[in-house]
Coordinates of all heavy atoms in Angstrom, one line a residue:
M1 N 15.0 7.7 -27.8 CA 14.1 8.5 -27.2 C 13.3 7.8 -26.1 O 12.9 6.7 -26.3 CB 13.1 9.1 -28.3 CG 12.0 9.8 -27.7 SD 11.1 10.9 -28.9 CE 9.8 9.9 -29.4
S2 N 13.2 8.4 -25.0 CA 12.5 7.8 -23.8 C 11.0 8.0 -23.9 O 10.6 9.0 -24.4 CB 13.0 8.4 -22.5 OG 14.4 8.0 -22.3
R3 N 10.3 7.1 -23.3 CA 8.9 7.2 -23.2 C 8.6 7.5 -21.7 O 9.2 6.9 -20.8 CB 8.1 6.0 -23.6 CG 7.9 5.8 -25.1 CD 9.1 5.4 -25.7 NE 8.8 5.1 -27.1 CZ 9.8 5.1 -28.0 NH1 11.0 5.5 -27.7 NH2 9.5 4.8 -29.3
R4 N 7.7 8.4 -21.4 CA 7.4 8.8 -20.0 C 6.0 8.9 -19.7 O 5.1 9.2 -20.6 CB 8.0 10.2 -19.8 CG 9.5 10.3 -19.9 CD 10.0 11.7 -19.6 NE 11.4 11.8 -19.9 CZ 11.9 12.6 -20.8 NH1 11.1 13.4 -21.5 NH2 13.2 12.6 -21.0
A5 N 5.7 8.5 -18.5 CA 4.3 8.7 -18.0 C 4.4 9.2 -16.6 O 5.3 8.9 -15.8 CB 3.6 7.3 -18.0
T6 N 3.4 10.1 -16.3 CA 3.3 10.6 -14.9 C 1.9 10.3 -14.5 O 0.9 10.6 -15.2 CB 3.5 12.2 -14.9 OG1 4.8 12.4 -15.4 CG2 3.3 12.7 -13.5
I7 N 1.8 9.6 -13.4 CA 0.5 9.3 -12.8 C 0.3 10.0 -11.5 O 1.1 9.9 -10.6 CB 0.4 7.7 -12.6 CG1 0.7 7.0 -13.9 CG2 -1.0 7.3 -12.0 CD1 0.9 5.5 -13.8
R8 N -0.8 10.8 -11.4 CA -1.1 11.6 -10.2 C -2.5 11.1 -9.7 O -3.5 11.2 -10.4 CB -1.1 13.1 -10.6 CG -1.4 14.0 -9.5 CD -1.4 15.5 -10.0 NE -0.3 15.8 -10.8 CZ 0.9 16.3 -10.3 NH1 1.0 16.5 -9.0 NH2 1.9 16.6 -11.0
T9 N -2.5 10.7 -8.4 CA -3.7 10.3 -7.7 C -3.8 11.0 -6.4 O -2.8 11.3 -5.8 CB -3.8 8.8 -7.6 OG1 -2.6 8.4 -6.9 CG2 -3.8 8.1 -8.9
T10 N -5.1 11.2 -5.9 CA -5.3 11.8 -4.6 C -5.9 10.8 -3.7 O -6.7 9.9 -4.1 CB -6.2 13.1 -4.7 OG1 -7.4 12.7 -5.3 CG2 -5.5 14.2 -5.6
H11 N -5.5 10.9 -2.4 CA -6.0 9.9 -1.4 C -6.1 10.7 -0.1 O -5.5 11.7 0.1 CB -4.9 8.8 -1.3 CG -4.6 8.2 -2.6 ND1 -5.3 7.2 -3.2 CD2 -3.5 8.5 -3.4 CE1 -4.7 6.9 -4.3 NE2 -3.7 7.7 -4.5
D12 N -6.9 10.0 0.8 CA -7.0 10.6 2.2 C -5.6 10.7 2.9 O -5.4 11.6 3.7 CB -8.0 9.8 3.0 CG -9.4 9.9 2.5 OD1 -9.7 10.9 1.9 OD2 -10.2 9.0 2.8
D13 N -4.8 9.6 2.7 CA -3.5 9.6 3.3 C -2.4 9.3 2.2 O -2.0 8.2 2.1 CB -3.5 8.5 4.4 CG -2.2 8.5 5.3 OD1 -1.2 9.2 4.9 OD2 -2.2 7.9 6.3
P14 N -2.0 10.4 1.5 CA -1.1 10.1 0.4 C 0.2 9.6 0.8 O 0.9 8.8 0.1 CB -1.0 11.5 -0.3 CG -1.5 12.5 0.7 CD -2.4 11.8 1.6
E15 N 0.7 10.0 2.0 CA 2.0 9.5 2.5 C 2.0 8.0 2.7 O 2.9 7.3 2.3 CB 2.4 10.2 3.8 CG 2.8 11.7 3.6 CD 4.1 11.9 2.9 OE1 4.9 11.0 2.8 OE2 4.3 13.0 2.5
L16 N 0.9 7.5 3.2 CA 0.8 6.0 3.4 C 0.7 5.3 2.1 O 1.4 4.3 1.9 CB -0.5 5.8 4.3 CG -0.7 4.3 4.6 CD1 0.4 3.7 5.4 CD2 -2.0 4.1 5.4
V17 N -0.1 5.8 1.2 CA -0.2 5.2 -0.1 C 1.2 5.2 -0.8 O 1.6 4.2 -1.4 CB -1.2 5.9 -1.0 CG1 -1.2 5.3 -2.4 CG2 -2.6 5.7 -0.4
A18 N 1.9 6.3 -0.8 CA 3.2 6.4 -1.4 C 4.2 5.4 -0.8 O 4.9 4.7 -1.5 CB 3.8 7.8 -1.3
R19 N 4.2 5.3 0.6 CA 5.0 4.3 1.2 C 4.7 2.9 0.8 O 5.6 2.0 0.7 CB 5.0 4.5 2.8 CG 5.7 5.6 3.3 CD 5.9 5.6 4.8 NE 4.7 5.3 5.6 CZ 3.8 6.2 6.0 NH1 4.0 7.5 5.8 NH2 2.8 5.8 6.7
A20 N 3.4 2.6 0.6 CA 3.0 1.2 0.2 C 3.5 0.9 -1.2 O 3.7 -0.2 -1.5 CB 1.5 1.1 0.4
L21 N 3.6 2.0 -2.0 CA 3.9 1.8 -3.5 C 5.4 1.6 -3.7 O 5.9 0.9 -4.5 CB 3.4 3.0 -4.3 CG 1.9 3.0 -4.6 CD1 1.6 4.4 -5.1 CD2 1.6 1.9 -5.6
R22 N 6.2 2.4 -3.0 CA 7.7 2.5 -3.3 C 8.4 1.2 -3.3 O 9.3 1.0 -4.2 CB 8.3 3.5 -2.3 CG 8.0 4.9 -2.6 CD 8.7 5.9 -1.6 NE 8.2 7.2 -1.8 CZ 7.6 7.9 -0.8 NH1 7.5 7.4 0.4 NH2 7.2 9.1 -1.1
P23 N 8.1 0.2 -2.4 CA 8.9 -1.0 -2.5 C 8.8 -1.8 -3.8 O 9.6 -2.5 -4.2 CB 8.4 -1.9 -1.4 CG 7.8 -0.9 -0.4 CD 7.3 0.2 -1.3
D24 N 7.7 -1.5 -4.6 CA 7.5 -2.2 -5.8 C 8.0 -1.4 -7.0 O 7.9 -1.9 -8.2 CB 6.0 -2.5 -6.0 CG 5.5 -3.5 -5.0 OD1 6.2 -4.5 -4.8 OD2 4.4 -3.4 -4.5
N25 N 8.5 -0.2 -6.8 CA 9.0 0.6 -7.9 C 10.2 -0.1 -8.5 O 11.1 -0.6 -7.8 CB 9.4 2.0 -7.4 CG 8.2 2.9 -7.3 OD1 7.0 2.5 -7.5 ND2 8.4 4.1 -6.9
T26 N 10.3 0.0 -9.8 CA 11.6 -0.4 -10.5 C 12.5 0.8 -10.5 O 12.2 1.9 -10.1 CB 11.2 -0.8 -11.9 OG1 10.8 0.3 -12.7 CG2 10.2 -1.9 -12.0
D27 N 13.7 0.6 -11.1 CA 14.7 1.6 -11.2 C 14.3 2.8 -12.0 O 14.7 3.9 -11.9 CB 16.1 1.1 -11.7 CG 16.7 0.2 -10.7 OD1 16.4 0.2 -9.5 OD2 17.6 -0.6 -11.1
E28 N 13.3 2.5 -12.9 CA 12.8 3.5 -13.9 C 11.6 4.3 -13.3 O 11.0 5.1 -14.0 CB 12.4 2.9 -15.2 CG 13.5 2.2 -15.9 CD 13.6 0.7 -15.5 OE1 12.9 0.2 -14.7 OE2 14.6 0.1 -16.1
M29 N 11.3 4.1 -12.0 CA 10.1 4.7 -11.4 C 10.5 5.5 -10.2 O 11.4 5.2 -9.5 CB 9.1 3.6 -11.0 CG 8.6 2.8 -12.1 SD 7.6 1.4 -11.5 CE 6.2 2.2 -11.0
E30 N 9.7 6.6 -10.0 CA 9.9 7.4 -8.8 C 8.5 7.8 -8.3 O 7.7 8.3 -9.0 CB 10.7 8.6 -9.1 CG 10.9 9.6 -7.9 CD 11.7 10.8 -8.3 OE1 12.9 10.7 -8.7 OE2 11.1 11.9 -8.3
T31 N 8.3 7.6 -7.0 CA 7.0 7.9 -6.4 C 7.3 8.9 -5.3 O 8.1 8.7 -4.4 CB 6.3 6.7 -5.8 OG1 6.0 5.8 -6.9 CG2 5.0 7.0 -5.2
E32 N 6.5 10.0 -5.2 CA 6.6 11.0 -4.2 C 5.2 11.6 -3.9 O 4.3 11.4 -4.7 CB 7.7 12.0 -4.5 CG 7.5 12.7 -5.8 CD 8.7 13.5 -6.3 OE1 9.8 13.3 -5.7 OE2 8.6 14.2 -7.2
V33 N 5.2 12.4 -2.9 CA 3.9 13.1 -2.6 C 4.2 14.6 -2.9 O 5.2 15.2 -2.5 CB 3.5 13.0 -1.1 CG1 2.3 13.8 -0.8 CG2 3.2 11.5 -0.8
E34 N 3.3 15.1 -3.8 CA 3.4 16.5 -4.2 C 2.1 17.2 -4.0 O 1.1 16.7 -4.6 CB 3.8 16.6 -5.6 CG 5.2 16.1 -5.9 CD 5.6 16.2 -7.4 OE1 4.7 16.7 -8.2 OE2 6.6 15.8 -7.8
N35 N 2.0 18.2 -3.2 CA 0.8 19.0 -3.0 C -0.4 18.1 -2.6 O -1.5 18.3 -3.1 CB 0.5 19.8 -4.2 CG 1.5 20.8 -4.6 OD1 2.1 21.5 -3.7 ND2 1.9 20.9 -5.8
G36 N -0.1 17.1 -1.8 CA -1.2 16.3 -1.3 C -1.6 15.2 -2.2 O -2.6 14.5 -2.0
A37 N -0.9 15.0 -3.3 CA -1.2 13.9 -4.3 C 0.0 12.9 -4.4 O 1.2 13.4 -4.2 CB -1.5 14.5 -5.6
V38 N -0.3 11.7 -4.7 CA 0.8 10.7 -5.0 C 1.1 10.9 -6.5 O 0.2 10.8 -7.3 CB 0.3 9.3 -4.7 CG1 1.4 8.3 -5.1 CG2 0.0 9.1 -3.2
V39 N 2.4 11.1 -6.7 CA 2.8 11.3 -8.1 C 3.9 10.3 -8.4 O 4.9 10.2 -7.7 CB 3.4 12.7 -8.3 CG1 3.9 12.9 -9.7 CG2 2.4 13.8 -8.0
T40 N 3.7 9.5 -9.4 CA 4.7 8.5 -9.9 C 5.1 8.8 -11.3 O 4.2 9.0 -12.2 CB 4.1 7.1 -9.8 OG1 3.8 6.8 -8.4 CG2 5.1 6.1 -10.2
R41 N 6.4 8.9 -11.5 CA 6.9 9.1 -12.8 C 7.6 7.9 -13.3 O 8.4 7.3 -12.5 CB 7.9 10.3 -12.8 CG 7.2 11.6 -12.5 CD 8.2 12.8 -12.5 NE 7.5 14.0 -12.2 CZ 7.1 14.4 -11.0 NH1 7.4 13.7 -9.9 NH2 6.4 15.6 -10.8
I42 N 7.3 7.5 -14.5 CA 7.9 6.3 -15.1 C 8.6 6.7 -16.4 O 8.0 7.3 -17.2 CB 6.9 5.2 -15.3 CG1 6.1 4.9 -14.0 CG2 7.5 3.9 -15.9 CD1 4.8 4.0 -14.3
E43 N 9.8 6.2 -16.6 CA 10.5 6.5 -17.9 C 11.1 5.2 -18.4 O 11.8 4.5 -17.6 CB 11.6 7.5 -17.6 CG 12.3 7.9 -18.9 CD 13.3 9.1 -18.7 OE1 13.2 9.8 -17.7 OE2 14.1 9.3 -19.6
R44 N 10.8 4.8 -19.6 CA 11.3 3.6 -20.2 C 11.7 3.9 -21.6 O 11.3 4.8 -22.2 CB 10.2 2.5 -20.2 CG 9.8 2.0 -18.9 CD 10.9 1.2 -18.1 NE 11.4 0.1 -18.9 CZ 10.9 -1.1 -18.8 NH1 10.0 -1.5 -18.0 NH2 11.5 -2.1 -19.6
E45 N 12.6 3.0 -22.1 CA 13.1 3.2 -23.5 C 12.1 2.8 -24.6 O 12.1 3.3 -25.7 CB 14.4 2.4 -23.7 CG 15.6 3.1 -22.9 CD 15.9 4.5 -23.3 OE1 15.9 4.8 -24.6 OE2 16.1 5.3 -22.4
T46 N 11.2 1.8 -24.2 CA 10.3 1.3 -25.2 C 8.8 1.6 -24.8 O 8.5 1.7 -23.6 CB 10.4 -0.2 -25.4 OG1 10.1 -0.9 -24.2 CG2 11.9 -0.5 -25.8
T47 N 7.9 1.7 -25.7 CA 6.5 1.9 -25.4 C 6.0 0.6 -24.7 O 5.2 0.8 -23.8 CB 5.7 2.1 -26.7 OG1 6.3 3.3 -27.4 CG2 4.3 2.3 -26.5
G48 N 6.4 -0.5 -25.1 CA 5.9 -1.8 -24.5 C 6.4 -1.9 -23.0 O 5.6 -2.3 -22.2
G49 N 7.6 -1.4 -22.8 CA 8.1 -1.4 -21.4 C 7.4 -0.4 -20.5 O 7.0 -0.7 -19.4
L50 N 7.1 0.7 -21.1 CA 6.3 1.7 -20.4 C 4.9 1.2 -20.1 O 4.4 1.3 -19.0 CB 6.2 3.0 -21.2 CG 5.4 4.2 -20.5 CD1 6.1 4.6 -19.2 CD2 5.3 5.3 -21.5
H51 N 4.3 0.6 -21.1 CA 2.9 0.1 -20.9 C 2.9 -1.0 -19.8 O 2.1 -1.0 -18.9 CB 2.5 -0.5 -22.2 CG 1.1 -1.1 -22.2 ND1 0.8 -2.4 -22.4 CD2 -0.1 -0.5 -22.0 CE1 -0.5 -2.6 -22.3 NE2 -1.1 -1.5 -22.0
S52 N 3.9 -1.9 -19.8 CA 4.0 -2.9 -18.8 C 4.2 -2.3 -17.4 O 3.5 -2.8 -16.4 CB 5.2 -3.8 -19.1 OG 5.4 -4.8 -18.1
N53 N 5.1 -1.3 -17.3 CA 5.3 -0.7 -15.9 C 4.0 0.0 -15.5 O 3.7 0.0 -14.3 CB 6.4 0.3 -16.0 CG 7.7 -0.3 -15.7 OD1 8.6 -0.3 -16.5 ND2 7.9 -0.8 -14.5
V54 N 3.3 0.7 -16.4 CA 2.1 1.4 -16.0 C 1.0 0.4 -15.5 O 0.3 0.6 -14.5 CB 1.6 2.3 -17.1 CG1 0.1 2.8 -16.8 CG2 2.5 3.5 -17.3
D55 N 0.9 -0.7 -16.3 CA -0.1 -1.8 -15.9 C 0.2 -2.3 -14.5 O -0.6 -2.4 -13.7 CB -0.1 -2.9 -16.9 CG -0.8 -2.6 -18.2 OD1 -1.6 -1.6 -18.2 OD2 -0.7 -3.4 -19.1
D56 N 1.5 -2.6 -14.3 CA 1.9 -3.1 -12.9 C 1.7 -2.1 -11.9 O 1.2 -2.4 -10.8 CB 3.4 -3.5 -12.9 CG 3.7 -4.8 -13.8 OD1 2.7 -5.5 -14.1 OD2 4.9 -5.0 -14.1
Y57 N 1.9 -0.9 -12.2 CA 1.7 0.2 -11.2 C 0.3 0.3 -10.8 O 0.0 0.5 -9.6 CB 2.3 1.5 -11.7 CG 2.0 2.7 -10.8 CD1 2.8 2.9 -9.7 CD2 0.9 3.5 -11.0 CE1 2.6 4.0 -8.8 CE2 0.6 4.5 -10.1 CZ 1.5 4.8 -9.0 OH 1.2 5.8 -8.2
V58 N -0.6 0.2 -11.7 CA -2.1 0.4 -11.4 C -2.5 -0.8 -10.5 O -3.2 -0.5 -9.5 CB -2.9 0.4 -12.7 CG1 -4.4 0.3 -12.4 CG2 -2.6 1.7 -13.5
V59 N -2.0 -2.0 -10.7 CA -2.3 -3.1 -9.8 C -1.8 -2.8 -8.4 O -2.4 -3.0 -7.4 CB -1.8 -4.4 -10.4 CG1 -1.9 -5.5 -9.4 CG2 -2.5 -4.8 -11.7
N60 N -0.5 -2.3 -8.4 CA 0.1 -2.0 -7.1 C -0.6 -0.9 -6.4 O -0.7 -0.9 -5.2 CB 1.6 -1.7 -7.3 CG 2.4 -2.9 -7.8 OD1 2.0 -4.0 -7.6 ND2 3.6 -2.6 -8.3
L61 N -1.1 0.1 -7.1 CA -1.8 1.2 -6.6 C -3.1 0.7 -5.9 O -3.5 1.1 -4.8 CB -2.2 2.2 -7.7 CG -3.0 3.4 -7.2 CD1 -2.2 4.2 -6.1 CD2 -3.2 4.3 -8.4
E62 N -3.8 -0.2 -6.6 CA -5.0 -0.8 -6.0 C -4.7 -1.5 -4.6 O -5.5 -1.3 -3.7 CB -5.7 -1.8 -6.9 CG -6.3 -1.1 -8.1 CD -6.9 -2.1 -9.2 OE1 -6.7 -3.3 -9.0 OE2 -7.5 -1.7 -10.1
V63 N -3.6 -2.2 -4.6 CA -3.2 -2.9 -3.3 C -2.9 -1.8 -2.3 O -3.2 -1.9 -1.1 CB -2.1 -3.8 -3.6 CG1 -1.5 -4.4 -2.3 CG2 -2.5 -5.0 -4.5
A64 N -2.1 -0.8 -2.7 CA -1.7 0.3 -1.7 C -2.9 1.0 -1.2 O -3.0 1.3 0.0 CB -0.8 1.3 -2.4
I65 N -3.9 1.2 -2.0 CA -5.2 1.9 -1.5 C -5.9 1.0 -0.5 O -6.3 1.4 0.5 CB -6.1 2.2 -2.7 CG1 -5.5 3.3 -3.5 CG2 -7.5 2.6 -2.2 CD1 -6.1 3.6 -4.9
D66 N -5.9 -0.3 -0.8 CA -6.5 -1.3 0.2 C -5.7 -1.3 1.5 O -6.3 -1.3 2.6 CB -6.5 -2.7 -0.4 CG -7.6 -2.9 -1.4 OD1 -8.5 -2.0 -1.5 OD2 -7.5 -3.9 -2.2
V67 N -4.4 -1.2 1.4 CA -3.5 -1.2 2.6 C -3.9 0.1 3.4 O -4.0 0.0 4.6 CB -2.0 -1.2 2.3 CG1 -1.2 -0.8 3.4 CG2 -1.7 -2.6 1.7
A68 N -4.0 1.2 2.7 CA -4.3 2.5 3.4 C -5.7 2.4 4.1 O -5.8 2.8 5.2 CB -4.2 3.6 2.4
R69 N -6.6 1.9 3.4 CA -8.0 1.7 4.0 C -8.0 0.8 5.2 O -8.6 1.1 6.2 CB -9.0 1.2 2.9 CG -9.4 2.2 1.9 CD -10.5 1.7 1.0 NE -10.8 2.6 0.0 CZ -11.0 2.3 -1.3 NH1 -10.9 1.1 -1.6 NH2 -11.2 3.3 -2.2
T70 N -7.3 -0.3 5.1 CA -7.2 -1.2 6.2 C -6.5 -0.6 7.4 O -6.9 -0.8 8.5 CB -6.4 -2.5 5.7 OG1 -7.1 -3.1 4.7 CG2 -6.3 -3.5 6.9
G71 N -5.4 0.2 7.1 CA -4.7 0.9 8.1 C -5.6 1.9 8.8 O -5.6 2.0 10.1
Q72 N -6.5 2.6 8.1 CA -7.4 3.6 8.7 C -8.5 2.8 9.5 O -8.8 3.3 10.6 CB -8.0 4.4 7.6 CG -7.0 5.4 7.0 CD -7.6 6.0 5.7 OE1 -8.6 5.7 5.2 NE2 -6.8 7.0 5.2
T73 N -9.0 1.8 8.9 CA -10.0 1.0 9.6 C -9.4 0.4 10.9 O -10.1 0.5 12.0 CB -10.6 -0.1 8.8 OG1 -11.1 0.4 7.6 CG2 -11.6 -0.9 9.5
G74 N -8.2 -0.1 10.8 CA -7.6 -0.6 12.0 C -7.4 0.4 13.1 O -7.6 0.2 14.3
A75 N -7.0 1.6 12.7 CA -6.8 2.7 13.7 C -8.1 3.1 14.3 O -8.2 3.3 15.5 CB -6.2 3.9 13.0
E76 N -9.2 3.1 13.5 CA -10.5 3.4 14.1 C -10.9 2.3 15.1 O -11.5 2.6 16.1 CB -11.6 3.4 12.9 CG -11.4 4.7 12.1 CD -12.3 4.6 10.8 OE1 -13.1 3.7 10.7 OE2 -12.1 5.4 9.9
Q77 N -10.6 1.0 14.7 CA -11.0 -0.1 15.6 C -10.2 0.0 16.9 O -10.7 -0.3 18.0 CB -10.8 -1.4 15.0 CG -11.8 -1.7 13.9 CD -11.6 -2.9 13.1 OE1 -10.5 -3.5 13.2 NE2 -12.5 -3.4 12.3
R78 N -8.9 0.4 16.8 CA -8.1 0.5 18.0 C -8.6 1.6 18.9 O -8.5 1.6 20.1 CB -6.6 0.7 17.7 CG -5.9 -0.5 17.2 CD -4.4 -0.3 17.0 NE -4.1 0.8 16.1 CZ -4.0 0.6 14.8 NH1 -4.2 -0.6 14.3 NH2 -3.7 1.6 14.0
D79 N -9.2 2.7 18.3 CA -9.7 3.8 19.1 C -11.0 3.4 19.8 O -11.4 4.0 20.8 CB -10.0 5.0 18.2 CG -8.8 5.6 17.6 OD1 -7.7 5.4 18.2 OD2 -8.8 6.3 16.6
R80 N -11.7 2.3 19.4 CA -12.9 1.9 20.0 C -12.8 0.4 20.3 O -13.5 -0.4 19.7 CB -14.1 2.1 19.0 CG -14.3 3.5 18.7 CD -15.5 3.6 17.8 NE -15.5 2.6 16.7 CZ -15.5 2.9 15.4 NH1 -15.6 4.1 15.0 NH2 -15.4 1.9 14.5
P81 N -12.0 0.0 21.3 CA -11.9 -1.4 21.6 C -13.2 -1.9 22.1 O -14.0 -1.2 22.8 CB -10.8 -1.5 22.6 CG -10.7 -0.1 23.2 CD -11.2 0.8 22.1
Q82 N -13.5 -3.2 21.8 CA -14.7 -3.8 22.3 C -14.4 -5.1 23.0 O -13.4 -5.8 22.7 CB -15.6 -4.1 21.1 CG -16.1 -2.9 20.4 CD -17.0 -3.3 19.2 OE1 -17.3 -4.4 19.0 NE2 -17.4 -2.2 18.5
D83 N -15.2 -5.4 24.1 CA -15.0 -6.6 24.8 C -15.4 -7.8 23.9 O -16.4 -7.9 23.4 CB -15.9 -6.6 26.1 CG -15.7 -7.8 26.9 OD1 -14.8 -8.6 26.6 OD2 -16.4 -7.9 27.9
T84 N -14.4 -8.7 23.8 CA -14.7 -9.9 22.9 C -15.2 -11.1 23.7 O -15.4 -12.2 23.2 CB -13.4 -10.3 22.1 OG1 -12.4 -10.6 23.1 CG2 -13.0 -9.2 21.2
G85 N -15.3 -10.9 25.0 CA -15.8 -12.0 25.9 C -14.6 -12.9 26.3 O -13.5 -12.6 26.2
T86 N -15.0 -14.1 26.7 CA -14.0 -15.1 27.2 C -13.1 -15.5 26.0 O -13.7 -15.9 25.0 CB -14.7 -16.3 27.9 OG1 -15.5 -15.8 28.9 CG2 -13.7 -17.2 28.4
V87 N -11.8 -15.5 26.2 CA -10.9 -15.9 25.1 C -10.8 -17.4 25.1 O -10.7 -18.0 24.0 CB -9.5 -15.3 25.3 CG1 -8.6 -15.8 24.3 CG2 -9.7 -13.8 25.3
S88 N -10.8 -18.1 26.2 CA -10.7 -19.5 26.3 C -11.6 -20.1 27.3 O -11.8 -19.6 28.4 CB -9.2 -19.9 26.6 OG -9.1 -21.3 26.7
D89 N -12.2 -21.3 27.0 CA -13.0 -22.0 28.0 C -12.2 -23.0 28.8 O -12.7 -23.7 29.6 CB -14.1 -22.7 27.3 CG -15.1 -21.8 26.7 OD1 -15.3 -20.7 27.3 OD2 -15.8 -22.1 25.7
A90 N -10.9 -23.1 28.5 CA -10.0 -24.1 29.1 C -9.8 -23.8 30.6 O -9.8 -22.6 31.0 CB -8.7 -24.2 28.4
D91 N -9.7 -24.8 31.4 CA -9.5 -24.7 32.8 C -8.1 -24.2 33.0 O -7.1 -25.0 32.6 CB -9.8 -26.0 33.5 CG -9.6 -25.9 35.0 OD1 -9.4 -24.7 35.5 OD2 -9.7 -26.9 35.7
S92 N -7.8 -23.1 33.7 CA -6.5 -22.6 33.8 C -5.7 -23.4 34.8 O -4.5 -23.3 35.0 CB -6.5 -21.1 34.2 OG -7.2 -21.0 35.4
N93 N -6.3 -24.3 35.6 CA -5.6 -25.1 36.6 C -5.3 -26.5 36.1 O -4.8 -27.3 36.9 CB -6.5 -25.2 37.9 CG -6.7 -23.9 38.6 OD1 -5.8 -23.1 38.6 ND2 -7.9 -23.7 39.2
T94 N -5.5 -26.7 34.9 CA -5.2 -28.0 34.3 C -3.7 -28.2 34.2 O -2.9 -27.3 33.8 CB -5.8 -28.1 32.9 OG1 -7.2 -27.9 33.0 CG2 -5.5 -29.5 32.3
T95 N -3.2 -29.4 34.7 CA -1.8 -29.7 34.5 C -1.7 -30.8 33.5 O -2.6 -31.6 33.3 CB -1.2 -30.2 35.9 OG1 -2.0 -31.3 36.3 CG2 -1.3 -29.1 36.9
H96 N -0.5 -30.9 32.9 CA -0.3 -31.8 31.8 C 0.9 -32.7 32.2 O 1.9 -32.2 32.7 CB 0.1 -31.1 30.5 CG -1.1 -30.3 30.0 ND1 -2.1 -30.8 29.4 CD2 -1.2 -29.0 30.1 CE1 -3.0 -29.8 29.0 NE2 -2.4 -28.7 29.5
D97 N 0.7 -34.0 32.1 CA 1.7 -35.0 32.4 C 2.7 -35.0 31.3 O 2.3 -35.3 30.2 CB 1.1 -36.3 32.7 CG 2.2 -37.4 33.2 OD1 3.3 -36.9 33.4 OD2 1.8 -38.5 33.3
T98 N 4.0 -34.7 31.5 CA 5.0 -34.7 30.5 C 5.9 -35.8 30.5 O 6.9 -35.9 29.9 CB 5.8 -33.3 30.5 OG1 6.4 -33.3 31.8 CG2 4.9 -32.1 30.3
S99 N 5.6 -36.9 31.4 CA 6.5 -38.0 31.5 C 6.2 -39.0 30.4 O 5.3 -39.1 29.7 CB 6.3 -38.7 32.8 OG 5.0 -38.9 33.2

């Protein structure tokens, strides 16, 4: 008899979160977006295996949420570029002896 878990979470950008999660899925896991929510189904033969996969998934989910937040923050920053000032104080006419 198989053990199953379905984990459903909602996010501002569920597609991005799902894409961040999928590379870490095992063969016993499937992640998709359904009705605006990230849904992951896990099926294992043992309760211990299911527990282990769910634990790993929760950690991966936290990382995926951070990735999504960073991506959103990065997009906001790209929309509002700011002058960072002089990049280098080095004299651009400096030559280097390579002999």
Side-chain angles (χ1 to χ4, degrees):
M1 173 161 93
S2 294
R3 277 77 171 156
R4 296 184 187 116
T6 300
I7 302 167
R8 180 181 310 271
T9 55
T10 57
H11 310 277
D12 291 337
D13 191 344
E15 290 289 343
L16 180 60
V17 173
R19 283 194 313 270
L21 284 167
R22 286 185 189 116
D24 292 319
N25 282 0
T26 65
D27 292 341
E28 297 88 2
M29 301 171 71
E30 179 181 292
T31 299
E32 55 194 10
V33 176
E34 295 178 0
N35 301 318
V38 176
V39 179
T40 299
R41 292 178 181 82
I42 305 168
E43 184 171 344
R44 294 294 304 267
E45 289 300 315
T46 65
T47 302
L50 180 63
H51 182 244
S52 177
N53 271 116
V54 169
D55 281 349
D56 289 346
Y57 176 81
V58 170
V59 171
N60 293 341
L61 179 60
E62 289 175 355
V63 172
I65 291 168
D66 286 344
V67 166
R69 283 188 188 136
T70 301
Q72 290 169 350
T73 301
E76 290 169 10
Q77 288 174 347
R78 284 188 300 275
D79 291 342
R80 297 182 314 238
Q82 297 180 2
D83 184 4
T84 59
T86 305
V87 175
S88 173
D89 291 331
D91 182 7
S92 61
N93 293 326
T94 303
T95 59
H96 299 281
D97 185 8
T98 59
S99 47

